Amino acid sequence: MSTETVEQTPTPITPRSVGTALGRVDGPEKVTGAARYGVEHHGEDGLADPLYAWLVQSTVAKGAVDAVDPAAALAHPGVVAVLDHTSAPRLEDTDDGELAVLQDARVHFRGQVVALVLAESVEAAREGAALVEVGYAAEDHDARFSADGATYRPDSVNPAFDTDSDQGDVDAALEAAAVVVEGEYSTPHEHNNPMEPHATLARWSDGDGDEVLRLVDSTQAVHGVASTVAPLFGLEPGQVRVTAPYVGGGFGSKGMPHASTVAAALAARAVAPRPVSLAVTRQQMFALTGYRTATVSRFRLGADTDGRLTAVEHRAYEQTSAVKEFAEQTAVATRMMYAAPNRRTSHRLAVLDVAVPSWMRAPGEMPGIFAHEVAMDELAEACGLDPVELRLRNEPDVDPESGKPFSIRRLPECLERGAERFGWAERSAQPRSTVDGDWWVGTGVAAATYPGYRMPGNAARVTALEGGRYDVAIGCVDIGTGARTVLTQIAADALAVEPADVDLHIADTSLPSASVAGGSSGTSSWGATVVAAAQAFAAAHGDAPEPGAEVVASADDDPLSGEHVFHSFGAVFAQVRVHRWTGEIRVPRLLGVYSVGRVVNPTTARSQLLGGLVMGLSAALHEESVRDPRFGHVVTQDLASYHVASHADVLDVDAEWLEESDDEFTPMGSRGIGEIGIVGTAAAVANAAYHATGVRVRSLPVTADRFLEVDR
Ligand code: MOS
């Protein structure tokens, strides 16, 4: 039955299950191995007996493919076909250079897909891929990032912020300032590396029915995949059905489809109606599935002798790829972080012959606030102020950029609560003043922020079942965050039933449309929609509905166009130990205190915040992708040479949150928790390392070699 979507303004719910630690509703499936990921869906839904695809990647960084010789590959047992730019099916739309897979001979970056092998087994496909001979006409490339080479000014930065901002007279204010801190701060290339690599199962149906292309994709947005992939093939989004029942993390890299998803669909079209299974390898993810650009932030802070900022300037430099533009919003959070009458930000890009950068774990906020918060630590020292006190003195009354009030801005309470719990009052003002055996010991603090986002394009369906139960459906994806669990709680409260009475369905484009699991917006966007649908249902059918009664609704409130701005805040405290003789750095203690609106489920929220803190720790100490500019590829392309923090790195890490409810933002009072944990954390660690050693590290990661030149 098809139901018209009604618009409903959601009103605050009375929390009953919301706020309690309901166990993960998908916990049993996950711990018993019943939950199936990406390419584990063989045998379902006509996806049995697939061919296996293996991607062949360019070994030059720029130029053209001369010829692809498939003969040796085709002679290998089990290999069925080799597709290249001359033989792959044509796409209807090739405007997106990242997604126009195998459409022409051009090579834009090292690691680009130049051929694809299909075989009866994954082993044969892999062996076949090694046997494909690709000839190139190589051209000179530029894959070396430097701030001075970053001269291109994009029209806007991710997703649609102004490239530059300028308020007051920064130069005059800096001239007149009693204290000036000037510094260059940098963060390296980083790769998202979710636990589950990208993977797609694809089947192309004969004819032009309702479901021409079927995809099981490891993605943060099934509707996003359908609406992006459909036009490439000249289809309507409704002709592409995408599911993603379980996803092993995304960290931004699965926020939009990359080349591998299109490659799987192209291959499935070539061998229709046989399904195709394509699993991207860990190594291939370092060229094909997005990454965080390296950044350089040039800061100038001007302040009076009391530490009150008079000028903030943040000039950000990053890279994009020649084949497709992505401009990270590195300096955008600087526009709202602290009060200062004179403020200037800018973004400039180096356009390089490299793989396409994209979203990664708080794109913008993470590298930008790292720079800002280390600069603030330097300003605190220059002013002779405690770094917590410096931040308290620079609290704005309203959003400095827009002039609008914040719905809730409790950064001071986060700082004060964290300082109390961490024992900050006992901290020595003097760097390198604490030695414990062979270890220097220090502590550091940094602030964090992340905007509250509500995404458009959501709808949810509520259907009455027998026995007072409800079926609730929305096409969002749970990438491991706990979305299934918190939406069950939100639906239960909105329908005034128990969570066990809600049968929740997600992650399928045959369900009402849902926005991406990104921008820390999922719970807010989908939750508000589920509440709207429940309230529209109650308005239409009361609380004793006939089984089968159904309503589809979307939320028509738009808090972001109202009189407030919405941001979450946090304060991160770190203790660092640096070994005097080896420079080894450890973080025995990490604490984040957050203002994130109402917490829907303390168990899953804590897990999100701790995960963010661990990502921040990982960025502080370990994560760095090294690109060899001579050849254009990332040489650290595995989890041995690209270390992501593991258990042994993570010692005492804790998160807590302030009790609050942002009723203006969502009917649950929640504001979003996915990404704020990573913001500020690396700065807290770098600041603590300075306090421990007296060595100021302005570029991530903070590695042992930084401390070897110290006079002992
Ligand atoms: Mo997240 S990096 O906003 O997908």
Side-chain angles (χ1 to χ4, degrees), residues 220 251-253 255 359-363 450 517-520 675:
Q220 295 169 223
F251 302 169
S253 70
W359 296 339
M360 174 166 161
R361 314 185 199 156
Y450 197 84
S520 304
E675 282 153 291

Side-chain angles (χ1 to χ4, degrees), residues 650-671:
V650 181
L651 302 169
D652 176 2
V653 51
D654 204 0
E656 71 169 66
W657 47 84
L658 307 178
E659 289 300 317
E660 64 187 34
S661 184
D662 198 338
D663 296 328
E664 210 183 320
F665 190 57
T666 61
M668 302 79 67
S670 62
R671 203 168 42 234

Side-chain angles (χ1 to χ4, degrees), residues 1-24:
M1 131 185 191
S2 100
T3 311
E4 193 189 336
T5 301
V6 300
E7 298 282 335
Q8 174 82 19
T9 306
T11 58
I13 59 169
T14 304
R16 293 169 62 243
S17 178
V18 164
T20 68
L22 180 69
R24 280 187 190 252

Side-chain angles (χ1 to χ4, degrees), residues 623-645:
E623 291 190 50
E624 178 174 22
S625 301
V626 178
R627 188 183 298 282
D628 184 337
R630 297 170 303 168
F631 306 103
H633 72 307
V634 173
V635 296
T636 50
Q637 53 176 350
D638 55 48
L639 293 181
S641 50
Y642 184 93
H643 182 64
V644 179

Side-chain angles (χ1 to χ4, degrees), residues 11-156:
T11 58
I13 59 169
T14 304
R16 293 169 62 243
S17 178
V18 164
T20 68
L22 180 69
R24 280 187 190 252
V25 296
D26 48 7
E29 279 111 307
K30 289 193 169 176
V31 299
T32 58
R36 282 195 276 187
Y37 292 79
V39 286
E40 297 178 330
H41 292 266
H42 301 178
E44 294 169 25
D45 257 4
L47 295 169
D49 190 27
L51 284 170
Y52 295 86
W54 202 277
L55 301 173
V56 179
Q57 296 175 276
S58 165
T59 56
V60 303
K62 189 177 181 182
V65 174
D66 255 351
V68 175
D69 182 354
L74 289 169
H76 187 77
V79 172
V80 172
V82 176
L83 300 180
D84 65 17
H85 65 278
T86 65
S87 56
R90 296 299 91 188
L91 294 173
E92 299 276 328
D93 179 347
T94 56
D95 285 350
D96 184 320
E98 181 187 15
L99 300 182
V101 182
L102 300 179
Q103 298 300 295
D104 63 40
R106 293 298 307 168
V107 174
H108 303 277
F109 60 89
R110 169 92 178 233
Q112 179 186 309
V113 178
V114 291
L116 180 155
V117 174
L118 287 162
E120 296 289 350
S121 71
V122 72
E123 294 82 3
R126 180 179 196 165
E127 184 62 18
L131 294 170
V132 173
E133 282 184 33
V134 183
Y136 300 92
E139 297 168 16
D140 288 344
H141 67 266
D142 181 3
R144 187 185 302 273
F145 170 68
S146 74
D148 292 335
T151 55
Y152 164 68
R153 184 186 185 283
D155 288 341
S156 64

